[in-house]
Every structure is written in C-alpha cells, then in structure tokens.
Amino acid sequence: MKKILSLIITLVMGLTFLTGCSDPVYDEFENFLNVQMVDVNANYEKIKAEAATWAEFEDPALFVTSIDNTLLPVINDSLEKLSAINTETEEVKDLKAKYVKVMDAYKAGFETVRAAVEANDVDQMNAGNEKINEGISLLEEYNAALEALAEQVGATIEY
C-alpha cells in the first residue's frame, strides 16, 4: 500500500512540476503578439486607412500632406516601438526583424513618393511605388513566418 501511495504522490508531483515548465519561445511569441505589437498593429491599421484616402486626392499637395502629417509619423512611431521591444529567442527576434523590414520599406517608399510628387518625376514615383510594393511583399513574408511560428509553438492567431 505504501508503494502505491508513494507512486501516486510521485506521479502527482511530477505532473505538477511539468505544468510549471513552459516553452520560452511560446511565452515570448505570445507576449510579442498580444502585448508588444498591439500599438504597432494599430499603427498599421492607420497606415492602411490613410492610404485608402489617396483614391480621393486630386491635388498633388494632398499626397505630400498625407505623407508628412500621417504616414511618416505613424511609421516612425512603429519603428520606435519596435526598437523598444526586447526579444530573447531567435524565433521571435527573426519575426521582429521581418516587421522592421516592412516598416523600413514603407518609409523609403513613401519618402520617395513624396519627393516624386514634389519634383513631378514619374520615374521616381514608380520607384516609390515599387518600394511600397516591396513592403507589401515583406508583410506577406512576415505573416507567413508569424503563422509558421504559431503552428510550431501550438498557438492560434486571430486576424
């Protein structure tokens, strides 16, 4: 009887210790998405909303105003917030680096578009649009990496 009782106690204690163990990648991934990236993701929604207003613009000065007063400040805020995020696991570091590349591409693209509008330069406008499209492609890569890491650690992502 004592052997059975000690076996049961050992099993219960073993299960208790195992539940205390956690996956550092999962923990950091969850914190990254649900805490650290909340404001950055909200900024991305602002970028999308502002870019959607461009279809209504007829005056080139409105593009410059939109870029200077909304898009670049929001992108710069996102880059600041990203630089303040400290990551420890390689998986989450890589994920963060991918998102920084997205914001860097958008920033370069919008700066080039602004310069193109001011100079009335079609080639420069095309270069700016290409850089913005690069940002979109990089965002797709980020989302794919995000989903892959979520699957790897057993997390669920809700859009």
Side-chain angles (χ1 to χ4, degrees):
M1 187 69 160
K2 286 184 179 183
K3 287 182 181 180
I4 293 174
L5 186 56
S6 82
L7 181 61
I8 292 173
I9 291 173
T10 303
L11 286 173
V12 170
M13 289 179 65
L15 289 174
T16 303
F17 287 126
L18 287 177
T19 59
C21 298
S22 64
D23 179 2
V25 176
Y26 177 87
D27 293 343
E28 186 171 50
F29 178 72
E30 183 179 53
N31 184 54
F32 179 75
L33 282 182
N34 296 326
V35 178
Q36 296 172 316
M37 287 294 288
V38 170
D39 290 340
V40 175
N41 289 333
N43 277 350
Y44 187 75
E45 293 302 317
K46 291 175 188 174
I47 292 167
K48 284 186 353 185
E50 183 65 20
T53 66
W54 282 23
E56 303 166 11
F57 294 169
E58 292 180 23
D59 181 1
L62 293 175
F63 291 101
V64 173
T65 301
S66 173
I67 291 168
D68 287 345
N69 294 344
T70 304
L71 293 170
L72 288 178
V74 169
I75 291 168
N76 288 331
D77 183 58
S78 291
L79 288 167
E80 277 183 37
K81 287 179 181 347
L82 285 162
S83 70
I85 295 173
N86 294 317
T87 55
E88 294 180 15
T89 62
E90 286 304 313
E91 295 86 347
V92 178
K93 281 181 186 178
D94 291 344
L95 201 56
K96 175 186 161 187
K98 286 181 186 309
Y99 203 86
V100 168
K101 287 180 182 177
V102 170
M103 289 293 110
D104 284 340
Y106 281 151
K107 182 176 181 176
F110 287 121
E111 287 173 340
T112 304
V113 167
R114 180 188 62 209
V117 170
E118 291 174 338
N120 197 23
D121 184 335
V122 174
D123 291 334
Q124 198 172 19
M125 179 64 77
N126 289 335
N129 285 330
E130 284 178 24
K131 198 66 177 171
I132 292 168
N133 287 333
E134 178 185 323
I136 292 168
S137 294
L138 290 168
L139 182 63
E140 290 169 2
E141 288 177 25
Y142 166 81
N143 285 332
L146 183 72
E147 291 170 7
L149 185 55
E151 186 176 326
Q152 177 186 331
V153 299
T156 304
I157 299 175
E158 294 178 21
Y159 291 99

